Amino acid sequence: MKNKIVIIGLDGVDFSLAEELIKRNIMPNLGKLSRNGARGNMLSCLPLHSSITWTTFITGKNAGKHGIFGFFVMDKDTHELKIANSLERKSQAIWHILNAYGKKVGISNLPSLYPPEKIDGYMICGMLTPSINSNFTYPKGLKDELLKNIKDFELDLSITMSSKNSKEMLLKKIYEITSKRTETAKFLLSTYPCDVNMFVFTETDRMLHLFLKDMDTDSQYKGAVEEYFRFLDNKIGEIIEMCDEDTTIFIVSDHGMKPFKKVFYVNNLLLEMGLLEGENKSARKTKYLFTAFCFQAIIELMVKLKISPEYFKRFLPESFFKRLNIIIGKGKGYNWSKTKAYFWGGLGDCIVINLKGRQPEGIVPPEEYEKIRDEIIDKIKSIKDPDTNEGIAYGIYKREDLFTGDFVKSAPDIIVKLREGYAPHESIELEGIFNKKSLFEPITSDHTRNATLIISGKNIKKGVLFDGSNILDIAPTVLSLLGVPVPSDMDGKVLAKILSEEVSPSFVAPGLNESERLRQRIKELKANGRLK
């Protein structure tokens, strides 16, 4: 284990924010890593959902090859959504390759990883894991060790279980879970030595969704972001202190974050275009208002009692919370017999064509498919904000524009990415295409493609500010730093320009030819116990 790697994931941290916090000495540990290594703005992938971005990160492949396109997948026989977990991933992750070459790998709190996989090292699942009562670790016995050594260990903070009146409680919980993440990382580094360790802080994403906008206002939470990231930097420093000089440290985010001013209600546009029809409006509105009222009342009661919503998971079935995560803010009251297209955020901020023969109640004939896609794309591209007279679209893509591979046909039909300052929403409960009133409350910031990448170690050039990197590039770069060949079907490239001149030739491994890929696959199958 002479050359080791520690990857610290900071979910949702925009590179411009990281640079500002470093410049203001709010994050001195990140500043030291930047000065002693390389840093740059890293382009994330689309759609900008953590389940997709982190899966792209660990595979080095686009979603058309790994098969994850959003937090949810739709049942092929119904319109019900189910959470997309690691079983939906169709491609090997970086730990399969590293294990095949004798490298131990540890993974903690990587989103959308449940259930845990057999691995030479360890794996702790995080976001979207059913509950702490599930088997969320490999090896299985690691769960008991964690619960014994980390007081009040928690899996995740649910952003859905929140309201505009519960920000104080959520802020307190963000700090608590960040501390537990750090304790867990230190415990694992001392107890389960690995060639590669990866620790993800998802609380950064929650913090920025909720409080980033307050940085530039005079609200009661002005300064909350700076205070939290100063705290986080100290925690990162505790992890770095446990790493020796042979360890290369990666600071990585899966996407960035910026405040939005307006919400674009995509389904209201489809209603206007005659491509979507809702249920009886009065019945839908009554159902929505009743659900929202009950939800708000419960949240306000918990806030007054200073009780986290997670507390009730001890008493209520997990199915209740899963359904609550889906129905709140989701205006799925569509008349399928008259709906030709619909927008669903859970599928990756995408528009789905209600295609006959593919969707459960599809009505669009295959020969009209391209016509409807073109009509929708042209319409959204033409839309301008009436207050600025500027277009709102960063890019509106057909799935084949973004993805290549065996699973492109599993992707939603149109992917929507709006410019900074706008967020898409699927509800049809509010009037109009644009609305400053948001069903996102208390979320006031949305994802951007500007991710953060900082790499520091003896094999990395010092003081380098680089651009042009992509989230696809991390996996092949990690492999090369450890002298492991990069599979030729990876879409990313090795970031050779930031590797030290003295060592880069030996670390930049070539892609594999077909015979080498076959030998590697045999090694992987043996390592996973699937071939003797």
Side-chain angles (χ1 to χ4, degrees):
M1 291 192 186
K2 184 170 178 58
N3 291 312
K4 300 182 292 295
I5 291 175
V6 167
I7 301 170
I8 300 175
L10 305 179
D11 197 303
V13 176
D14 196 285
F15 180 67
S16 62
L17 176 64
E19 285 280 85
E20 178 184 349
L21 296 175
I22 289 171
K23 184 178 180 180
R24 293 168 58 185
N25 202 35
I26 290 171
M27 302 193 79
N29 285 305
L30 256 63
K32 184 177 180 181
L33 291 175
S34 296
R35 291 189 298 274
N36 292 335
R39 72 190 190 281
N41 184 73
M42 181 174 67
L43 187 68
S44 190
C45 60
L46 294 174
L48 285 171
H49 281 212
S50 291
S51 56
I52 311 163
T53 53
W54 285 117
T55 304
T56 299
F57 168 89
I58 62 172
T59 60
K61 299 175 183 179
N62 79 89
K65 292 181 180 178
H66 64 61
I68 301 292
F69 297 99
F71 280 121
F72 301 97
V73 292
M74 188 173 68
D75 188 281
K76 66 179 181 178
D77 298 319
T78 70
H79 288 287
E80 291 300 312
L81 300 179
K82 65 176 181 178
I83 292 176
N85 57 32
S86 59
L87 298 177
E88 303 293 333
R89 190 179 68 239
K90 307 299 193 302
S91 178
Q92 62 182 359
I94 190 172
W95 50 83
H96 299 130
I97 302 170
L98 290 167
N99 281 175
Y101 282 84
K103 307 294 184 181
K104 288 182 176 292
V105 181
I107 306 292
S108 179
N109 196 43
L110 186 71
S112 300
L113 198 58
Y114 184 85
E117 302 172 26
K118 182 179 181 181
I119 187 173
D120 185 7
Y122 64 83
M123 184 173 289
I124 303 171
C125 303
M127 187 177 77
L128 301 184
T129 297
S131 75
I132 201 168
N133 297 319
S134 62
N135 294 320
F136 61 88
T137 69
Y138 185 87
K140 190 174 181 179
L142 176 56
K143 173 183 173 179
D144 292 335
E145 291 185 62
L146 286 175
L147 299 181
K148 179 181 178 181
N149 288 276
I150 310 300
K151 185 180 179 181
D152 299 322
F153 178 86
E154 293 185 71
L155 288 168
D156 191 26
L157 167 72
S158 176
I159 190 91
T160 309
M161 311 300 273
S162 60
S163 79
K164 62 182 179 181
N165 296 322
S166 64
K167 290 179 75 172
E168 195 66 40
M169 180 180 73
L170 287 168
L171 189 60
K172 179 175 180 290
K173 183 59 67 174
I174 286 170
Y175 276 86
E176 290 177 359
I177 296 183
T178 297
S179 293
K180 292 183 177 69
R181 295 266 188 258
T182 308
E183 290 180 47
T184 301
K186 292 164 66 175
F187 168 76
L188 293 167
L189 285 171
S190 62
T191 311
Y192 286 81
C194 291
D195 298 278
V196 177
N197 291 273
M198 181 175 179
F199 311 111
V200 180
F201 290 88
T202 47
E203 305 79 63
T204 47
D205 179 86
R206 314 305 201 273
M207 185 74 196
L208 295 171
H209 270 306
L210 294 165
F211 298 100
L212 179 59
K213 198 171 185 176
D214 294 302
M215 284 185 70
D216 299 318
T217 68
D218 291 325
S219 77
Q220 69 180 98
Y221 297 107
K222 182 177 177 64
V225 168
E226 292 92 333
E227 185 178 347
Y228 169 73
F229 276 92
R230 192 186 303 277
F231 171 81
L232 174 65
D233 187 78
N234 288 330
K235 296 301 179 183
I236 292 173
E238 293 179 22
I239 296 173
I240 293 173
E241 285 180 4
M242 299 189 67
C243 302
D244 59 28
E245 62 181 10
D246 293 319
T247 302
T248 300
I249 297 175
F250 284 64
I251 304 292
V252 181
S253 69
D254 61 326
H255 56 75
M257 195 86 71
K258 290 290 185 182
F260 61 84
K261 298 178 181 178
K262 287 187 178 182
V263 179
F264 174 48
Y265 290 96
V266 187
N267 280 328
N268 282 348
L269 174 66
L270 297 177
L271 277 167
E272 288 187 8
M273 295 174 67
L275 298 175
L276 183 148
E277 183 168 312
E279 296 173 341
N280 178 273
K281 189 170 184 178
S282 60
R284 186 178 72 249
K285 188 172 183 179
T286 300
K287 180 173 64 176
Y288 168 77
L289 290 175
F290 177 76
T291 304
F293 173 80
C294 292
F295 179 67
Q296 185 69 27
I298 292 170
I299 289 294
E300 289 181 358
L301 176 62
M302 288 189 288
V303 171
K304 290 179 181 179
L305 296 176
K306 295 183 172 57
I307 299 174
S308 168
E310 300 296 316
Y311 174 82
F312 290 97
K313 286 191 175 182
R314 305 177 191 179
F315 311 107
L316 296 173
E318 186 63 31
S319 59
F320 170 82
F321 288 92
K322 285 183 179 180
R323 183 153 298 278
L324 191 61
N325 283 341
I326 293 174
I327 65 173
I328 295 300
K330 310 288 185 181
K332 294 195 297 180
Y334 311 143
N335 180 345
W336 295 112
S337 66
K338 295 183 179 181
T339 292
K340 293 184 177 181
Y342 50 95
F343 175 85
W344 262 353
L347 293 174
D349 287 349
C350 300
I351 294 172
V352 179
I353 306 301
N354 196 22
L355 189 63
K356 190 174 184 179
R358 185 188 66 179
Q359 308 307 114
E361 299 174 64
I363 64 169
V364 175
E367 59 268 22
E368 292 185 19
Y369 175 77
E370 287 299 341
K371 178 184 176 182
I372 291 178
R373 281 209 302 177
D374 290 338
E375 181 183 353
I376 294 170
I377 291 171
D378 290 343
K379 183 65 175 179
I380 296 178
K381 284 183 177 179
S382 71
I383 293 177
K384 295 183 178 181
D385 185 333
D387 292 333
T388 64
N389 201 34
E390 294 181 346
I392 65 168
Y394 171 92
I396 310 297
Y397 307 92
K398 294 181 179 180
R399 59 187 181 184
E400 60 268 25
D401 295 333
L402 294 178
F403 310 124
T404 61
D406 295 336
F407 305 102
V408 174
K409 288 188 176 181
S410 299
D413 302 294
I414 300 172
I415 295 87
V416 178
K417 179 66 184 84
L418 303 181
R419 289 175 54 195
E420 291 181 8
Y422 303 90
H425 200 282
E426 64 198 44
S427 177
I428 53 177
E429 307 307 330
L430 296 179
E431 300 292 336
I433 296 174
F434 289 108
N435 206 315
K436 293 183 180 179
K437 184 177 180 181
S438 174
L439 290 173
F440 276 121
E441 290 285 6
I443 298 172
T444 55
S445 295
D446 199 23
H447 298 173
T448 74
R449 296 193 72 180
N450 302 316
T452 297
L453 178 60
I454 301 171
I455 311 178
S456 183
K458 67 178 184 180
N459 297 320
I460 306 299
K461 292 179 180 178
K462 292 187 176 181
V464 176
L465 177 63
F466 63 92
D467 58 16
S469 67
N470 192 291
I471 196 168
L472 291 161
D473 301 332
I474 305 301
T477 300
V478 168
L479 294 177
S480 288
L481 281 168
L482 295 174
V484 174
V486 179
S488 59
D489 63 342
M490 277 191 175
D491 297 311
K493 65 182 184 301
V494 177
L495 297 173
K497 291 183 179 180
I498 68 171
L499 301 181
S500 298
E501 295 177 0
E502 295 82 2
V503 298
S504 59
S506 62
F507 282 92
V508 181
L512 303 183
N513 59 38
E514 289 304 314
S515 61
E516 289 172 328
R517 288 178 64 187
L518 179 60
R519 285 196 293 271
Q520 176 176 302
R521 185 58 180 155
I522 292 172
K523 285 185 178 181
E524 293 165 5
L525 292 171
K526 288 182 177 179
N528 293 328
R530 298 171 62 185
L531 184 68
K532 294 183 178 179

